Amino acid sequence: MRGITRIAVAALAVGALTAGCGGGDKPIGNAASSNPSSSSSGGNAGGSTGEHKKGGTVTIANVGGQTWPCQFNPFNPAVNQVALGFVYEPLTFVNVLKAGATTPMLATGFSWSPAKDSIVFTIRDGVKWSDGQPFSADDVVYTFNRMKEQPALDLYSLWTGAGLTSVTAAGNKVTLKFKSAAEPYFFNFAGQVGIVPKHIWSTGEAASKPATWTNTKPIGTGPFTVESCSPNNISYVANGSYWQPGKPYVEKVQYPAYLDNNPANLDLASGKAQWGGQYIPNIDNFYKAKSPENNYWFPPTANVALVPNNDPSRPATSKLEVRQAIAYALDREQISKIGESGYQPAANQTGVVTPTFDKYFDKDALAAAGYDKPNPDKAKQLLQTAGYSESNPLKLNVITVTGYTDWDASLAVVKQQLAKVGIELTIQDLQQQSYNQKLYTGDYDLAYSSLSGGPTPYYELRQLLYSKNSAPIGKQANSNYSRYMKPEVDKLFDQYAAADPDTQVKLIKQISSYMIKDVPLIPTTESVDWYQYNTKDLQGWPTQDDPYAQPAPYNIPDVGQVLTNLYSKSAQK
């Protein structure tokens, strides 16, 4: 499954997440509004409006580099992209493409305390799980408390890092309390945690092994249920008791497994699949020219990066000089041009995506360190300092996902560039499950990887660099796969929540200075939403003019927003 790569509209106005700030129980603002506190009590996140007749099927072409394991555990990052949004839902939808604007989901409103150290959610009445059991505030409390009891479920370090101290219910109100101001974590705890049913997860293997439970027949509140699953295809059908009246309009979703970009691209170009999420070379000729109904939009908020293993058990990549040498050796513009056809812009060593987040970008610091352009001679000097030479060459492996043809092309360029400075790079194409296992447990020298972004650079950088998101070698890390441990950087992240907007900008610049000094990972290109969509029969897609959700099918939980807005033109006749 393609990583949750994200992109933003060029004119996106980003800043500190301000969803629902202030006192009083506020309905969660509609995502069609740039004001996240605006009044709304409905669940429509944008796109299509009004009632549509049910009918139609959408087929997704998104390369996973493996066949489907038919597991739907929303707490397992290896499989949650086929669970969240489809079957499981969060309390709130937070739209990255609209500076964190919010839409009510399982909560109809929320209220922050004046100090922003506690928040009360009003839980939606009348919602049922897909097995007919009633949904309640107790399910919300259970979900969050299981994350405390089982840290492997706490993918965003809410209990260990964000300072969450308790989650309690009184009637239809759920209160989350924190040690200190916690507003920036709203994006994670309100928008990215899928709520699970207590009556299912409190018994059997779901209770005893929640992080690894396969959950082959998931029960959720979402718009779809899993009709069937085989290694080659997942078939979803509309949830007949879904809480949003009349939705979803589309009755079926087919999700074939693709091992390689090429067959997926052919299915998209022919119209056999209507929704794509991968790189298509020469897209105008190969895809767009095939049909006037074939469209694409690559709306950047995150990075694709070489992730060095910083753990001392790796004698080469744990050396600063080696990581610096790799960063100086790379010509990122060339990687972008050859590997990604220029569709993904060149990244930079601060880790701040530009121009989306320009106000957080310290251009002068990047230039002062010499990372604003390639410097092969500097790279060679650093390798000599680290003890490597022609007689003792540095040999490294990099893991990547088989079938990601753009990553393969980018790594071919990286291999050539590193060879010029004396580094022999071996590229290991792995099936997604094998790749995930090695990445999560730290069994690699270098990994080619991409994670999700958020309304500011803070969200991606915290995933990548915050030590509480990591784990010892052999144990599963949540997102800090490089095993980068820096108490000074952790303190900067911890200060962010209580800081004013100007100070938050300064904190991001300080954090990005450690990207320059320590080179914990090496961004190559800025990841975009690979998004292709066909309008021959299906309408209601997110577009550049109506960016009501992240548009790629691998974005979670945004995929659920798209699926509840799509409708079939032929079904309206």
Side-chain angles (χ1 to χ4, degrees), residues 123 129 134-146 167-174 195-199:
I123 303 305
W129 295 103
F135 160 79
S136 74
D138 287 341
D139 295 305
V140 179
V141 172
Y142 177 80
T143 299
F144 281 97
N145 283 334
R146 285 300 277 159
V167 181
T168 57
N172 69 342
K173 306 286 186 181
V174 171
I195 305 302
V196 300
K198 180 180 178 179
H199 69 280

Side-chain angles (χ1 to χ4, degrees), residues 325-401:
I326 295 172
Y328 280 118
L330 296 183
D331 183 338
R332 293 166 172 86
E333 293 288 348
Q334 191 178 38
I335 297 170
S336 166
K337 182 179 179 181
I338 298 175
E340 304 289 349
S341 300
Y343 302 147
Q344 289 194 160
N348 69 81
Q349 189 54 42
T350 70
V352 174
V353 173
T354 62
T356 307
F357 300 130
D358 266 352
K359 72 177 180 180
Y360 301 89
F361 176 49
D362 195 337
K363 183 178 181 180
D364 293 338
L366 184 74
Y371 286 121
D372 56 334
K373 55 185 177 298
N375 192 337
D377 292 336
K378 179 77 169 178
K380 292 176 183 177
Q381 293 170 7
L382 286 162
L383 289 174
Q384 290 177 354
T385 302
Y388 299 99
S389 61
E390 287 187 10
S391 59
N392 181 35
L394 173 56
K395 298 181 181 181
L396 296 173
N397 294 329
V398 59
I399 61 172
T400 185
V401 181

Side-chain angles (χ1 to χ4, degrees), residues 229-294:
C229 181
S230 71
N232 295 321
N233 187 65
I234 303 171
S235 180
Y236 300 90
V237 292
N239 178 359
S241 59
Y242 188 50
W243 57 269
Q244 291 199 52
K247 291 189 174 185
Y249 307 123
V250 171
E251 289 188 317
K252 283 203 172 190
V253 179
Q254 301 295 341
Y255 208 154
Y258 293 93
L259 302 181
D260 185 86
N261 281 10
N262 292 327
N265 293 346
L266 287 169
D267 283 354
L268 286 167
S270 68
K272 182 178 179 181
Q274 298 83 41
W275 190 7
Q278 67 275 332
Y279 166 75
I280 299 178
N282 194 16
I283 192 168
D284 285 321
N285 288 331
F286 183 89
Y287 173 73
K288 180 66 177 167
K290 296 291 192 300
S291 168
E293 287 91 12
N294 284 347

Side-chain angles (χ1 to χ4, degrees), residues 44-60:
N44 183 24
S48 62
T49 58
E51 292 296 323
H52 299 286
K53 294 179 182 178
K54 292 179 178 290
T57 298
V58 57
T59 299
I60 300 173

Side-chain angles (χ1 to χ4, degrees), residues 51-57 248-251 536-539 566-573:
E51 292 296 323
H52 299 286
K53 294 179 182 178
K54 292 179 178 290
T57 298
Y249 307 123
V250 171
E251 289 188 317
K536 182 178 181 180
D537 183 54
L538 294 169
Q539 297 291 304
L566 291 181
Y567 65 94
S568 164
K569 286 192 296 185
S570 58
Q572 309 311 305
K573 298 176 181 178

Side-chain angles (χ1 to χ4, degrees), residues 231-540:
N232 295 321
N233 187 65
I234 303 171
S235 180
Y236 300 90
V237 292
N239 178 359
S241 59
Y242 188 50
W243 57 269
Q244 291 199 52
K247 291 189 174 185
Y249 307 123
V250 171
E251 289 188 317
K252 283 203 172 190
V253 179
Q254 301 295 341
Y255 208 154
Y258 293 93
L259 302 181
D260 185 86
N261 281 10
N262 292 327
N265 293 346
L266 287 169
D267 283 354
L268 286 167
S270 68
K272 182 178 179 181
Q274 298 83 41
W275 190 7
Q278 67 275 332
Y279 166 75
I280 299 178
N282 194 16
I283 192 168
D284 285 321
N285 288 331
F286 183 89
Y287 173 73
K288 180 66 177 167
K290 296 291 192 300
S291 168
E293 287 91 12
N294 284 347
N295 304 276
Y296 67 90
W297 172 39
F298 302 149
T301 66
N303 291 280
V304 181
L306 281 170
V307 181
N309 195 326
N310 285 243
D311 191 84
S313 64
R314 295 284 167 159
T317 53
S318 63
K319 288 183 181 178
L320 174 61
E321 294 88 354
V322 168
R323 300 195 302 272
Q324 289 174 324
I326 295 172
Y328 280 118
L330 296 183
D331 183 338
R332 293 166 172 86
E333 293 288 348
Q334 191 178 38
I335 297 170
S336 166
K337 182 179 179 181
I338 298 175
E340 304 289 349
S341 300
Y343 302 147
Q344 289 194 160
N348 69 81
Q349 189 54 42
T350 70
V352 174
V353 173
T354 62
T356 307
F357 300 130
D358 266 352
K359 72 177 180 180
Y360 301 89
F361 176 49
D362 195 337
K363 183 178 181 180
D364 293 338
L366 184 74
Y371 286 121
D372 56 334
K373 55 185 177 298
N375 192 337
D377 292 336
K378 179 77 169 178
K380 292 176 183 177
Q381 293 170 7
L382 286 162
L383 289 174
Q384 290 177 354
T385 302
Y388 299 99
S389 61
E390 287 187 10
S391 59
N392 181 35
L394 173 56
K395 298 181 181 181
L396 296 173
N397 294 329
V398 59
I399 61 172
T400 185
V401 181
T402 186
Y404 288 6
T405 55
D406 54 326
W407 282 17
D408 287 338
S410 294
L411 284 173
V413 179
V414 170
K415 180 183 175 81
Q416 292 175 349
Q417 293 176 352
L418 294 185
K420 292 178 181 178
V421 302
I423 299 174
E424 296 180 17
L425 185 68
T426 299
I427 301 170
Q428 294 181 304
D429 271 296
L430 304 174
Q431 284 203 343
Q432 184 82 60
Q433 286 176 296
S434 298
Y435 169 88
N436 287 342
Q437 178 67 19
K438 287 182 174 291
L439 181 69
Y440 297 165
T441 60
D443 183 17
Y444 67 90
D445 293 330
L446 296 165
Y448 210 53
S449 180
S450 180
L451 289 177
S452 60
T456 78
Y458 162 84
Y459 296 93
E460 181 188 14
L461 292 173
R462 185 176 182 271
Q463 284 184 289
L464 295 168
L465 306 179
Y466 194 51
S467 66
K468 292 177 182 177
N469 287 332
S470 195
I473 292 291
K475 301 290 185 179
Q476 181 167 310
N478 287 337
S479 56
N480 179 351
Y481 307 123
S482 70
R483 272 66 186 175
Y484 177 67
M485 308 288 183
K486 196 80 168 187
E488 301 96 307
V489 175
D490 287 347
K491 288 179 181 177
L492 294 172
F493 282 119
D494 290 340
Q495 293 171 35
Y496 186 91
D500 61 75
D502 290 340
T503 303
Q504 288 180 338
V505 171
K506 293 177 182 177
L507 287 169
I508 294 299
K509 288 185 176 181
Q510 287 179 269
I511 291 166
S512 67
S513 75
Y514 284 92
M515 283 284 292
I516 293 172
K517 287 187 286 188
D518 294 344
V519 194
L521 67 150
I522 303 158
T524 55
T525 60
E526 294 179 354
S527 72
V528 301
D529 268 0
W530 297 121
Y531 169 49
Q532 300 87 20
Y533 62 104
N534 182 285
T535 56
K536 182 178 181 180
D537 183 54
L538 294 169
Q539 297 291 304

